[in-house]
């Protein structure tokens, strides 16, 4: 299992950055290879991705969520095994540090080779850079969900 970690500083308040991240259907706007994310309920999402010509569908479950602080998830279905957390840290009234940490288990030979070549790291770095551009160009979130999900 590989761990990928990337952070960006965004020029929006922590509330805005967090609220936008809760809008999973918007992920294809800044995440390369993500074709669609459908929110099933408050804690479950269905993902469709296409990376290097390989289409995958899987479900995720949010296992911990605290407004303006963190969102943690894990996969629960499909042929992808991952878990991760995005953490939000207010730097001042108009700047936020957004840090993404993911543990990903490559499932096939092509994915294992791509992982060894650092492609996953580069993809996540690009996704975080695009999130920064996306939220800063908007200046405001497209929606929000501020409920609490407690671990366990």
């Amino acid at each position: 299992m590989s761990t990928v970690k990337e952070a960006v500083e965004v020029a929006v308040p922590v509330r805005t950055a967090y609220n936008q991240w809760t809008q999973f259907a918007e992920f294809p706007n800044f995440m390369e290879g993500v074709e669609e994310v459908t929110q099933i309920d408050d804690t479950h999402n269905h993902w469709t991705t296409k990376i290097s010509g390989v289409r995958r569908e899987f479900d995720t479950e949010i296992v911990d969520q605290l407004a303006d602080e963190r969102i943690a998830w894990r996969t629960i279905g499909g042929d992808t095994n991952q878990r991760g957390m995005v953490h939000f840290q207010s730097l001042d009234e108009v700047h936020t540090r957004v840090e993404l940490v993911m543990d990903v288990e490559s499932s096939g030979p092509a994915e294992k080779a791509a992982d060894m070549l650092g492609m996953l790291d580069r993809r996540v770095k690009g996704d975080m850079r695009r999130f920064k551009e996306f939220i800063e160009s908007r200046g405001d979130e497209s929606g929000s969900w501020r409920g609490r999900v407690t671990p366990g």
Side-chain angles (χ1 to χ4, degrees), residues 31-42:
M31 288 189 171
E32 184 181 352
V34 176
E35 292 188 336
E36 182 178 30
V37 181
T38 304
Q39 191 159 1
I40 299 165
D41 59 31
D42 288 344

Side-chain angles (χ1 to χ4, degrees), residues 18-140:
Y18 172 86
N19 286 348
Q20 186 59 56
W21 201 278
T22 67
Q23 301 307 290
F24 304 108
E26 298 283 345
F27 281 16
N29 290 317
F30 58 87
M31 288 189 171
E32 184 181 352
V34 176
E35 292 188 336
E36 182 178 30
V37 181
T38 304
Q39 191 159 1
I40 299 165
D41 59 31
D42 288 344
T43 59
H44 296 91
N45 294 294
H46 181 78
W47 293 66
T48 303
T49 63
K50 188 173 184 183
I51 300 170
S52 299
V54 177
R55 173 168 273 140
R56 300 220 187 272
E57 292 194 36
F58 57 93
D59 295 323
T60 58
E61 175 182 39
I62 296 170
V63 295
D64 184 15
Q65 186 167 347
L66 181 59
D68 300 338
E69 215 174 282
R70 67 182 173 271
I71 303 170
W73 70 92
R74 65 180 178 165
T75 55
I76 56 171
D79 54 4
T80 298
N81 184 18
Q82 64 175 266
R83 63 179 181 260
M85 179 181 292
V86 61
H87 183 262
F88 304 85
Q89 177 187 5
S90 178
L91 301 175
D92 59 34
E93 290 182 10
V94 294
H95 294 92
T96 303
R97 177 181 167 85
V98 182
E99 182 178 49
L100 177 65
V101 178
M102 288 180 23
D103 293 321
V104 180
E105 188 172 319
S106 303
S107 60
E111 290 172 343
K112 288 179 183 177
D115 187 21
M116 289 175 57
L117 294 171
M119 293 175 73
L120 181 59
D121 286 330
R122 286 191 298 280
R123 173 159 291 174
V124 170
K125 184 181 287 277
D127 290 346
M128 294 299 284
R129 186 189 76 246
R130 285 184 294 275
F131 175 73
K132 174 182 174 60
E133 293 165 359
F134 179 79
I135 191 60
E136 288 180 354
S137 68
R138 289 185 55 85
D140 202 10

